[in-house]
Amino acid sequence: MRLSQFHLATVKEVPADAEITSHRLMLRAGMIRRLASGLYTWSPLGLRVMRKVEQIVREEMDRAGALEMLMPSIQPKELWEETGRWQKFGDQLLKITDRKQQEFCYGPTHEEVITDFARNELKSYRQLPIVFYQIQTKFRDEFRPRFGVMRAREFLMKDAYSFHLSQESLAETYAAMYQAYVRIFTRLGLTFRAVQADTGAIGGNASHEFQVIADAGEDAIAFSDGSDYAANLEKAEALAPTSQRPAPAIALQRVDTPAQKTIAEVSAFLKVSPQQCVKTLLVRGRDGLVALCLRGDHEINAVKAGKLAELPDESVLASEEEILAATGARPGFIGPVGLPDSIPVIVDRDAAVLADFVCGANVDGIHCTGANWDRDARVSRIADLRSVVDGDLSPDGNGVLHIARGIEVGHVFQLGRKYAEALDATVVDETGKPQVMTMGCYGIGVSRIVAAAIEQRHDDAGIIWPEAMAPWRVAVCVINPKNVPAVAAAGEALYQALSQRGIETVLDDRGLRAGGMFADIELIGIPHRVVVSERGLAAGTLEYRAREDSESRALSQEELFSLLH
Ligand code: ATP
Ligand code: MG
C-alpha cells in the first residue's frame, strides 16, 4: 500500500471523552470514528487490524474442526419466548418491530438461533459431536457503553456452539476449544490467562474466561506465579491457614473505644495490628440476620458469601436499625462475643485461627480485647469468605497468587441441556431413542481484542502492534521524494522488493517532513520502520528501527531482508 493513496487520518489532539489509552490511541490513529453512543465506524486502517484478528480466529477454529456458518443478526421474538429470554435477557436486548408489527430483536448472542438450526438439522447421534461457528456483528444495549470498542453496543464476535449426546463428549470438545483459544491468543502475541470463571449453578471447570492482562481491565483476577492456576477474584479460593489456633493467653476485657468504629481506627487506638482484629458484618440471611467474621485486614467476597446456604445469592448488609434491634449496638461495635444465639456466626478460615483478638463488644463505644473463639465466642461454622490477596498461596499448591486486572476477550462455557431442553432439540441415540442434546458455547470478542492489544502494548508515541495484528509489518519512509528523484525511486524499489517477498509493507510516499512522518508511523504502531534518504543512498545503507527500540541502525538491503524473514 502506498500511503499517498490510502486514507490515513491521524490526529494530534487527545480526544477529551476518551478515558483509557486504547480508546485515545484508536481515535488518534484514525482507526475508529464514533457515530453514536457505543457505535463505531472502522476506518480502512482499523479494519485492516480487525481483519487480522478475525483471520487468526477463523484459522484456528477451522483447524479445531469447527464449521463456519452465518446466522441472521435479526431474530424473531417467538424463538426467544421459547427459552424465556425475551423477558429475562433484560434491557440489553434491542427489540424492533417490522412493518407488519411483528417483533424481533437484534441478536446479542445466538444460542436460540443455533439451537433452532440444530433441532431441524441434526437427527442422529451419528452427526455428533459437531461445532458450528460464525463471526458476526452483535448488538447489546449496554447499560454503560464506554472505552470505545472495548465496551461498545455494536461489536464483532466470534461465537461457536457445540452439540453432543454426552457430558464426556462435551468435555472433550470443550478441551479442544480451550486449546484453540490458547493458540489464538498466543498467535496474536498477547499476554493472557485462562481464568476459571464463576459458573453459578453449573460449577466445576465448566467455564473459563480468557483475560488479557492490562491495568485498564474491568475484572480482577488472581493468578499463580508457580503454575497456570488463574481464577476470577470472586472465585479464587483462599486456602485454610496451615497454622493451628494458639491457646488463649489472656483474659477477655472490655475497653472503651468511644469514637473508633473502623478497623483502622480501632487498631490504631488500641495499638494492635488489623490482623489481630476481627471484623463482623451482619447480613440479611434467608432466615434472619447472619454474622460473617473476617480478619481485620481481609475483605468479604460477595460471591463466596452468596454461596453459603444461610444466605441468599445476593446478600445485603443489615440496616443500622436492624443491627441496633438485634444487638443493642450500632455498626462499628459489633462482634462475635455476646451475640444473640439466634444469629449464626460464620467465621472465615483465617479469622478462625486467631487467638486473643480484638472485636466489637455489641455495646456502643466498647470493644473486646483478648477475645477467643469457643471460650468467649460461638463459631457456628468455618468457611472461605474472603477475597484472596497478593501473596496468598495458590490453591493448587504451586506458587503464590498475584492479583492483576484483566480484559475479558473470550469465554468458553459448558452450557449443558438448558437451551436444547427449552427448544426440544433432540437426536436419536444408539437405541433409537430421542435424547436432548448437550451444548457448549464459545465466544471471542474480535473487536474488543483490538483495543485490548493496545492496552497491553503502547508507549508515549502510540501503539506497538504485535506482528500478527499490525496493519502492515514494515513501513518504508522516504525522505524528500519530491525533490530527490533517486530517493523516490529507491523507496519504490525497496517497497516492491519487500512486497514481492511476501512482507506486508506500506510505503510512506506522502512527502511529509521526517518528524511528522515518523510520528504517524509510530502512532499507528508499525513494527518495523525503514528510512530511505539521500544520505543513506550515498552510504549504501538503510536506516532501520524496530518500533520497540529507541535507536536506529544502518543495515544493508540483504541484512534487512534476513531480519524480516
Ligand atoms: P462482559 O462481562 O465484558 O460484558 P460478557 O460475559 O457479557 O462480557 P459474552 O456474552 O461471554 O460476554 O460474550 C463473548 C465475548 O464478547 C466476551 O468475552 C467479550 O470479549 C465480547 N464482548 C461482550 N460484550 C461486549 C461489548 N459490549 N463490547 C465489545 N465486546 C464485547
Ligand atoms: Mg456483558
Side-chain angles (χ1 to χ4, degrees), residues 140 142 149-152 155 157 408-411 444-445 448:
R140 294 181 182 177
E142 294 278 352
V149 299
M150 190 79 89
R151 182 167 297 286
F155 58 97
M157 194 203 284
E408 183 194 321
V409 289
H411 194 178
I444 286 187
R448 181 181 283 183

Side-chain angles (χ1 to χ4, degrees), residues 92 108-109 140 142 148-158 209-210 218-219 408-411 442-449:
Q92 285 202 13
T109 177
R140 294 181 182 177
E142 294 278 352
V149 299
M150 190 79 89
R151 182 167 297 286
R153 294 199 294 169
E154 187 175 301
F155 58 97
L156 191 63
M157 194 203 284
K158 185 284 296 176
E209 288 171 4
F210 285 76
E218 290 183 327
D219 298 326
E408 183 194 321
V409 289
H411 194 178
Y442 318 89
I444 286 187
V446 175
S447 47
R448 181 181 283 183
I449 286 174

Side-chain angles (χ1 to χ4, degrees), residues 44 47 74 85 117 149 151 167 204 216 232 245 251 256 260 268 288 334 364 367 375 378 408 454 501 505 541 544 552:
L47 189 62
I74 308 289
R85 287 212 292 182
F117 178 80
V149 299
R151 182 167 297 286
Q167 171 61 32
N232 273 349
R245 185 204 306 161
D256 284 335
Q260 286 70 32
I334 307 305
D364 280 354
H367 275 80
R375 188 190 73 180
R378 217 162 19 88
E408 183 194 321
I454 299 174
R501 283 174 162 72
T505 305
T541 56
Y544 167 82
S552 299

Side-chain angles (χ1 to χ4, degrees), residues 85-393:
R85 287 212 292 182
W86 186 256
Q87 294 304 332
K88 254 189 269 160
F89 205 90
D91 293 339
Q92 285 202 13
L93 197 62
L94 178 66
K95 298 176 175 173
I96 41 194
T97 308
D98 74 3
R99 66 173 84 205
K100 294 183 192 140
Q101 301 308 311
Q102 302 211 334
E103 289 187 275
F104 295 84
C105 65
Y106 196 110
T109 177
H110 277 70
E111 281 84 8
E112 278 79 2
V113 179
I114 194 70
T115 312
D116 177 62
F117 178 80
R119 73 176 159 185
N120 295 322
E121 301 288 321
L122 305 176
K123 304 287 176 213
S124 158
Y125 72 95
R126 287 196 197 86
Q127 294 168 286
L128 307 184
I130 193 161
V131 187
F132 299 110
Y133 80 98
Q134 63 174 349
I135 299 177
Q136 195 224 29
T137 300
K138 304 281 187 254
F139 188 96
R140 294 181 182 177
D141 203 353
E142 294 278 352
F143 168 64
R144 208 176 149 210
R146 57 186 185 151
F147 304 156
V149 299
M150 190 79 89
R151 182 167 297 286
R153 294 199 294 169
E154 187 175 301
F155 58 97
L156 191 63
M157 194 203 284
K158 185 284 296 176
D159 46 328
Y161 307 89
S162 67
F163 294 87
H164 314 267
L165 204 53
S166 67
Q167 171 61 32
E168 294 71 51
S169 165
L170 169 59
E172 252 169 50
T173 297
Y174 183 83
M177 285 294 132
Y178 182 105
Q179 287 310 327
Y181 275 40
V182 169
R183 292 184 60 95
I184 288 167
F185 296 116
T186 305
R187 279 184 66 187
L188 287 170
L190 299 172
T191 304
F192 68 97
R193 286 283 181 149
V195 169
Q196 289 178 25
D198 186 52
T199 49
I202 297 177
N205 280 343
S207 173
H208 287 86
E209 288 171 4
F210 285 76
Q211 299 266 1
V212 163
I213 307 296
D215 291 341
E218 290 183 327
D219 298 326
I221 63 176
F223 63 93
S224 169
D225 59 11
S227 72
D228 63 3
Y229 176 86
N232 273 349
L233 195 60
E234 294 90 63
K235 206 191 161 183
E237 182 186 1
L239 288 180
T242 45
S243 58
Q244 296 290 315
R245 185 204 306 161
I250 52 176
L252 180 72
Q253 279 191 13
R254 289 181 169 77
V255 294
D256 284 335
T257 50
Q260 286 70 32
K261 293 184 175 178
T262 65
I263 291 290
E265 288 164 353
V266 171
S267 69
F269 187 75
L270 296 178
K271 297 189 175 56
V272 293
S273 70
Q275 286 92 318
Q276 201 48 39
C277 300
V278 164
K279 70 173 153 199
T280 304
L281 305 170
L282 284 183
V283 296
R284 290 186 196 143
R286 290 185 190 281
D287 193 16
L289 296 188
V290 174
L292 305 177
C293 293
L294 295 131
R295 215 169 75 181
D297 58 325
H298 286 152
E299 295 299 330
I300 184 79
N301 181 313
V303 171
K304 290 179 181 177
K307 293 208 170 110
L308 297 170
E310 293 86 343
L311 299 186
D313 292 347
E314 286 180 24
S315 43
V316 179
L317 286 177
S319 69
E320 184 164 341
E321 294 72 51
E322 284 171 295
I323 294 174
L324 196 59
T327 67
R330 281 171 212 287
F333 300 101
I334 307 305
V337 178
L339 213 53
D341 285 348
S342 59
I343 300 180
V345 180
I346 305 181
V347 183
D348 179 68
R349 290 166 169 174
D350 285 273
V353 296
L354 290 180
D356 304 322
F357 55 83
V358 168
C359 61
N362 302 311
V363 180
D364 280 354
I366 295 186
H367 275 80
C368 296
T369 60
N372 282 277
W373 298 115
D374 299 337
R375 188 190 73 180
D376 311 314
R378 217 162 19 88
V379 177
S380 312
R381 177 149 97 77
I382 295 171
D384 176 18
L385 293 179
R386 70 173 176 95
S387 291
V388 295
V389 293
D390 221 274
D392 276 342
L393 293 179

Side-chain angles (χ1 to χ4, degrees), residues 507-525:
L507 177 67
D508 195 343
D509 56 349
R510 295 174 297 169
L512 296 190
R513 298 162 71 97
M517 179 160 54
F518 295 166
D520 273 355
I521 297 301
E522 286 182 29
L523 174 60
I524 69 172

